[in-house]
Structure formats: structure tokens, C-alpha cells
């Protein structure tokens, strides 16, 4: 593996790949192949037994995918990375690997809708129960941990309410009980937050978002210890099979090169839009980690480099008013997903979080008036003009 660089800005371009190994090709070549040939039957036997290193079949490894995995491990400060065909393939591979029937998971009280759905399915089919915790203090978290708790699963910032959870505190409590902490770092990327440096054990990503950054790939990534990821690779990844295609891995390698540059622009734009949105008379409340008035601001200062590119806000009005605001936009796109060059806006209660039963949804703070905004890379003044004219129409 290529040397690990001290600075993320260099790491995103160079780590995990050495041109010398690939005929001098500046960019990692795309190995668009399903399988690898063996020179002899005996070599095939050695590869399968592990006596000889080398590629076998792209579900169990591919050089383009390896370059992405090694780069991502370097960026998250982990020992090993694994790439998947979607964020949900990554989340499910990790949670299934960590649990068995009758186990229990403690989760942050806000979760991406499909993660919530996955946990509900695991409960229904395999009796793997879960508790939701606000994780506002170590004591509150300790009270949720049972003898059968297999792991703690955290999203921070929580999608879509932008609430933050103190990762160092969660990691400290988890160590008292010797259980691993899994963090969904999708909203931040390693440029803004590194959960492993804060004592957490496993990081998952929907790489579809900031890692890819261009809205053209669905993918997932996991980073953690070599031991755990070796197990995931040879169990839930190999046998459930949610792998990434080499082409998508290649696109992610390309996207990653501009991650810090893009993220700074996302953050700059979001800070400006936040300042304007918070004072608009049709905005009832606003949630942005970079808001100094936000109760989570102290956590943001502790564990995030910047406030990120995501803002949620509640409008004064009804669900229909929220939908009317979205419909009145001229170029800001109504779409789920986030972290793309284009500014995207959505209505979580009827879109990303619609699968969550209403009572839980409201408990999580996802009201009918809540709108989620992924601030893109356009000139922020143009984005604000569009948002303002749409809000003015409510
Ligand atoms: N985690 C978070 C926080 C998400 O927002 C998403 C998707 O929006 C996922 C996981 C799932 O990722 P994917 O859509 O790539 O499967």
C-alpha cells in the first residue's frame, strides 16, 4: 500500500495507490472484470486456501476497489476499508456481522429511514431488539445498555434534525461495557469529522453523498479494524454480496480527490444560507450545526471541523405549505440524497423518513413542516434568491 500522508488534502489524491504498480498510470486503472484467471489449477488452489495472495473473483476483491478501500481507510484513520454497493449494504453488513439472535442494539434517537426500517426488520425476523437513546449524557446512555447489547449505533449529525451526539462520550461509555460503537459519518465525511480518532470503532458511509459528490453513484463504505473488516469481508460481504462495481469504485476515487475543496465550498455556502434563512419571517426554526445558538454547538466545536453543508428548517404553516414552497423553486432541485454539486431540497416526513411510523417520526422531531436542504456548490446568492422567492410565496 502507498504511504499514508499526514494531511487529508494529500491523502485524498495519493493514498492507497502507487502508479509504479500499474504501468505508471496516473489514475488507478478500472479493472472492469468479474473474475481473475489462474495460470494453473494449483495456483487456483493456493489462492483459495490463502497460501498465495492474489485476486480470485470480484465479489471477494478487485484492484480498483482495493485502491478505494485503502484510500478511505487512510482518510478515516482506520486499519482497513471495505466498499459496498450502497450505504444500506454497508450498514446492514456491519449490523448483521455484529449481532446474533436475541441481541440488542442501542441507537441514536434519530436515524436515516431505511436504517430504522432495517432495525425493525431485524427485530421482527431475528429478535434483535433495539432501543433509541437521545445520548444526551453518559448516564442516559448507560441506562439503555443491557447484558445482551451487542453494539451502539450512532448518526451525528442526525438525519434530518441535525442534532449532534458527543462521540467521545459514547466511546467512553461503550468501553466500560466492552461493546463497539458504529458511527454513520455520511453527513460529515472524514474532512469534517473522524469518529475513529474519538474512540469509536467502526465508521459507515453512504458514499453516494459527499464521498462521490457528483450525484452519479450509489455506494457504501466501512472503515474499522483489520480484524473486524476481515470478518465482514468473508461473511456478510462475501455471502450476502452487496459489493460495489469496479466502475463505481473508480468514480468514487475520482470524487474523493476534490473532497476537501468541495466540502469547504459546501460549508461556506451553507453558512451564508443559514444566516439568511434564520431571519426569514416564514422560517419558524432552523437546525444547523454551525449555529452558535444551537444547544449542540459545544459538541460541534469539539468534534467537527466545520458546520457542514446540511441545514434543516421548519416553516410557519402546514405540510401543504412546505410542499408549495418546494414546488415554487426554480432551479433548486426537489430530490432526496445530499452532498451533490446541485442544491437539493426534500420533505423528510413524506420522503426519506416516510417509512418511520408517525409517532416515532414526531418524537424524532420530523414534523410535517420540516424541510431538509443540502446546500450545493453554486454561487450561494443564486441559491438564496431561489429559496427566498419560494418562501415568500407561502
Ligand atoms: N445513512 C445516511 C445518513 C443516509 O442519509 C443514507 C441515505 O440517504 C444512507 C445511510 C443510505 O445510503 P444509500 O442510499 O447509499 O444506500
Amino acid at each position: 500500500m502507498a504511504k499514508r500522508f499526514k494531511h487529508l488534502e494529500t491523502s485524498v489524491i495519493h493514498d492507497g495507490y502507487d502508479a509504479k504498480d500499474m504501468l505508471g498510470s496516473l489514475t488507478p486503472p478500472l479493472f472492469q472484470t468479474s473474475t481473475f484467471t489462474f495460470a494453473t489449477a494449483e495456483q487456483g488452489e493456493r489462492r483459495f486456501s490463502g497460501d498465495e495472495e492474489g485476486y480470485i473473483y470480484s465479489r471477494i476483491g478487485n484492484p480498483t476497489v482495493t485502491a478505494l478501500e485503502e484510500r478511505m481507510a487512510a482518510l478515516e484513520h482506520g486499519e482497513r476499508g471495505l466498499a459496498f454497493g450502497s450505504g444500506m449494504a454497508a450498514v446492514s453488513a456491519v449490523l448483521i456481522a455484529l449481532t446474533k439472535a436475541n441481541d440488542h442494539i442501542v441507537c441514536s434517537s434519530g436515524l436515516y429511514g431505511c436504517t430504522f426500517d432495517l432495525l425493525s426488520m431485524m427485530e421482527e425476523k431475528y429478535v434483535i431488539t433495539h432501543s433509541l437513546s437521545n445520548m444526551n449524557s453518559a448516564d442516559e446512555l448507560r441506562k439503555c445498555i443491557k447484558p445482551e447489547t451487542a453494539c451502539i449505533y450512532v448518526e451525528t449529525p442526525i438525519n434530518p434534525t441535525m442534532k449532534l451526539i458527543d462521540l467521545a462520550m459514547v466511546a467512553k461509555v461503550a468501553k466500560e461495557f466492552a461493546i463497539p460503537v458504529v458511527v454513520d459519518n455520511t453527513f460529515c465525511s472524514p474532512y469534517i469529522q473522524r469518529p475513529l480518532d474519538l474512540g469509536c470503532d467502526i465508521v459507515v458511509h453512504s458514499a453516494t453523498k459527499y464521498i462521490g459528490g457528483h450525484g452519479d453513484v450509489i455506494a457504501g463504505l466501512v472503515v474499522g479494524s483489520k480484524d473486524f473488516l476481515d470478518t465482514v469481508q468473508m461473511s456478510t460481504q462475501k455471502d450476502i454480496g452487496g459489493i460495489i462495481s469496479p466502475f463505481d469504485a473508480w468514480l468514487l476515487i475520482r470524487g474523493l480527490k476534490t473532497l476537501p475543496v468541495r466540502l469547504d465550498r459546501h460549508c461556506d455556502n451553507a453558512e451564508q444560507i443559514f444566516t439568511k434563512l434564520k431571519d426569514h419571517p416564514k422560517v419558524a426554526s432552523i437546525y444547523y450545526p454551525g449555529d452558535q445558538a444551537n444547544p449542540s454547538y459545544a459538541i460541534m466545536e469539539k468534534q467537527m471541523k466545520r458546520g457542514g453543508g446540511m441545514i434543516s428548517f421548519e416553516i410557519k404553516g402546514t405540510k401543504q405549505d412546505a410542499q408549495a414552497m418546494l414546488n415554487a423553486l426554480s432551479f433548486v432541485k426537489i430530490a432526496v440524497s445530499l452532498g451533490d454539486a446541485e442544491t437539493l431540497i426534500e420533505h423528510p416526513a413524506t420522503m426519506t423518513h416516510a417509512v418511520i411510523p408517525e409517532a416515532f417520526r414526531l418524537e424524532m422531531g420530523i414534523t410535517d413542516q420540516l424541510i431538509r436542504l443540502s446546500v450545493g456548490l453554486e454561487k450561494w446568492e443564486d441559491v438564496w434568491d431561489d429559496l427566498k422567492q419560494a418562501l415568500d410565496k407561502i
Side-chain angles (χ1 to χ4, degrees), residues 27-34 36 58 61-68 83-85 207 211-212 214-220 243-256:
T27 59
L30 169 57
F31 284 84
Q32 189 69 30
T33 184
S34 54
F36 296 82
S58 281
N62 172 288
T64 311
V65 176
T66 305
L68 168 68
F84 290 82
I211 303 291
H214 294 75
D216 47 15
V217 184
I218 298 275
I243 54 144
I244 193 170
S245 88
F247 180 59
D248 287 348
W250 187 86
L251 284 174
L252 291 184
I253 292 169
R254 188 167 72 158
L256 268 177

Side-chain angles (χ1 to χ4, degrees), residues 109 116-117 132 319 347-350 353-369:
S109 60
F116 185 86
D117 236 11
L132 301 176
K319 169 182 155 190
H347 185 243
T350 57
H353 294 71
V355 292
I356 301 178
E358 192 183 3
F360 276 119
R361 192 162 45 73
L362 292 174
E363 220 177 285
M364 289 177 181
I366 306 168
T367 62
D368 283 348
Q369 289 75 25

Side-chain angles (χ1 to χ4, degrees), residues 85-91 111-115 153 155 157-159 184-187 204-209 217-220 336-338 352-353 372:
S86 70
M88 286 317 300
V91 171
L111 291 170
Y112 170 57
C114 295
T115 306
Y153 186 94
E155 257 180 45
I158 293 177
N159 177 7
D184 184 330
N185 204 24
T186 300
F187 269 41
V204 294
H205 276 279
S206 168
T208 313
K209 315 293 167 17
V217 184
I218 298 275
V336 296
S337 203
L338 57 110
T352 43
H353 294 71
R372 190 188 78 180

